[in-house]
Amino acid sequence: MRIETLAVHAGHEIDTATGAVAAPIHLSTTFERDAEGGYPHGYIYGRSANPNRQALEQGLAALEGGEEAFAFGSGVAASSAILQALAPGDHVVAPTDVYHGMTKLLREVYMRWGLEVSFVDMTNLDSVRGAVDPKTKLIWTETPSNPLLKITNIAAVAEIAHAAGAICACDNTWAPIVQRPLDLGLDFVMHSTTKYLGGHSDVTGGALVAKTKTDCAERVREIQTTCGGVPSPFDCWLILRGMRSLPWRMRAHSENALKVATWLADHQRVERVHYPGLASHAGHEIARQQMSDFSGMLSFEVGGGKEAAGGGAAKTKLFLRATSPGGVGRFIEHPAPIKSEKTPAPPRML
Ligand SMILES: *Cc1c(COP(=O)(O)O)cnc(C)c1O
């Protein structure tokens, strides 16, 4: 089945009670027992399972090609669950330019709870190999990265992880549909469904998708329901609705971004464009091998420094000055004045 068709059908069933073609939203937090005390429909309580969440999880598993998916109330709640599935003393390898919320999660929460973390340049496989030790249980990747759109060879990193007896996960938020990490040998995919999957900048959510039903996946399910970072039924409904048009939107995002990147690359006042779809990008060859298209995010550096970059963002007409990718609108951000000192974004970058 083509991915476009799959996206329309995955997680969708006609409501047997009414014939409704759009799923009803089940707000009920609790479900009736039968006379023997059992639950004939399989649902017990909203935190442990809900029909809308189950439908979303079926859709997520189908689109990423995994056996099981777990929906959360945000992307960082999903990332948090996989870290909670580890034990104190376990070692994690993560990229130096990982999403800033993940850096915060690792440094300010999980290192305090006894996880050991090494931050490495994931585009350098020797650095990754050098960081792995017998306690390594997870290698976390994110590609293309934010804000430099660096490309990690995820199949090669997964091989390093597996040789060390660790699992390998990929934050695939920036490249759904066009990059399928589970097909490339990874064990987990994470999404901030707030971005492309929801697709309309109107719902916050996150997800993990497991390639197979392992003990670790089982542990993630326990954490989801025990720690309770679950999304609301309406949020699940909105995200699944967004996913129905995702393959077509990704095609449009990729086509538009390539046109903008090509135009910028030729512009007199632009010094560098970071977009993996351009042949001049350092990760272009690997991106071509592991992505079917290059998605909708790019960054660029303008001549004239920080002021010129800020001025550029201030003058745009169709682009809104806002953070967070993946909606149907066009956003632009000048990271230097708003991100911490530690941002890898040069001051002249947009
Ligand atoms: C937004 C984002 C996250 C975090 O997701 P939230 O839904 O905001 O918690 C993680 N990774 C990447 C790459 C993101 O863009």
Side-chain angles (χ1 to χ4, degrees):
M1 201 185 283
R2 284 177 58 128
I3 194 82
E4 290 83 357
T5 312
L6 190 63
V8 169
H9 292 278
H12 286 275
E13 274 169 29
I14 302 295
D15 179 45
T16 48
T18 62
V21 298
I25 299 171
H26 294 277
L27 296 175
S28 187
T29 55
T30 188
F31 299 83
E32 193 184 26
R33 289 180 194 267
D34 63 18
E36 284 75 48
Y39 289 97
H41 304 285
Y43 297 104
I44 301 170
Y45 180 60
R47 174 156 48 74
S48 51
N50 163 280
N52 296 102
R53 194 164 93 222
Q54 212 159 45
L56 170 61
E57 290 176 343
Q58 279 167 11
L60 286 161
L63 278 193
E64 280 290 358
E67 279 184 4
E68 246 191 319
F70 315 93
F72 291 86
S74 68
V76 291
S79 308
S80 191
I82 202 162
L83 298 173
Q84 284 175 296
L86 304 176
D90 285 350
H91 177 241
V92 177
V93 181
T96 40
D97 55 346
V98 71
Y99 172 70
H100 66 93
M102 184 65 169
T103 311
K104 222 171 151 163
L105 204 57
L106 287 166
R107 284 193 192 281
E108 293 175 24
V109 181
Y110 290 99
M111 282 164 90
R112 291 179 56 196
W113 281 9
L115 279 190
E116 288 174 23
V117 186
S118 302
F119 292 94
V120 302
D121 175 3
M122 278 290 160
T123 64
N124 181 339
L125 296 176
D126 287 333
S127 304
V128 182
R129 270 185 217 102
V132 168
D133 70 29
K135 287 189 292 184
T136 307
K137 290 291 180 313
L138 168 68
I139 301 187
W140 183 265
T141 64
E142 183 187 322
T143 180
S145 74
N146 178 7
L148 292 169
L149 286 292
K150 285 196 189 165
I151 300 295
T152 294
N153 183 338
I154 42 181
V157 172
E159 231 179 271
I160 296 171
H162 295 154
I167 57 170
C168 191
C170 180
D171 180 342
N172 203 28
T173 300
W174 279 26
I177 306 294
V178 299
Q179 175 171 274
R180 295 170 57 84
L182 301 183
D183 290 352
L184 295 167
L186 277 76
D187 307 287
F188 281 92
V189 157
M190 193 286 277
H191 275 288
S192 165
T193 53
T194 315
K195 315 293 168 55
Y196 288 109
L197 275 69
H200 296 75
S201 310
D202 55 10
V203 58
T204 301
L208 287 169
V209 185
K211 186 179 171 75
T212 50
K213 293 185 177 174
T214 54
D215 289 349
C216 184
E218 186 54 37
R219 182 92 187 114
V220 167
R221 175 71 74 200
E222 273 171 34
I223 286 160
Q224 179 199 39
T225 56
T226 306
C227 301
V230 295
S232 79
F234 184 45
D235 289 354
C236 294
W237 189 94
L238 276 174
I239 294 160
L240 188 57
R241 204 249 306 251
M243 284 161 54
R244 302 186 90 175
S245 60
L246 181 64
W248 287 101
R249 284 188 287 109
M250 291 316 294
R251 206 176 281 185
H253 281 301
S254 300
E255 207 175 285
N256 289 344
L258 182 61
K259 276 191 189 142
V260 173
T262 307
W263 181 78
L264 285 169
D266 274 342
H267 198 286
Q268 271 185 350
R269 296 186 56 191
V270 173
E271 297 198 339
R272 262 182 100 175
V273 181
H274 303 272
Y275 184 63
L278 294 180
S280 57
H281 187 277
H284 179 65
E285 273 314 307
I286 294 167
R288 266 174 25 132
Q289 285 161 28
Q290 68 186 20
M291 303 175 82
S292 59
D293 218 332
F294 305 103
S295 196
M297 289 292 286
L298 62 92
S299 59
F300 61 101
E301 296 170 48
V302 295
K306 186 171 168 181
E307 276 63 44
K315 278 190 214 141
T316 55
K317 295 206 171 76
L318 288 175
F319 284 75
L320 302 176
R321 286 175 301 281
T323 198
S324 191
V328 289
R330 307 164 182 85
F331 291 170
I332 189 166
E333 183 176 85
H334 181 210
I338 45 177
K339 295 264 153 64
S340 81
E341 294 291 295
K342 281 176 264 156
T343 177
R348 59 183 186 168
M349 176 178 274
L350 285 159

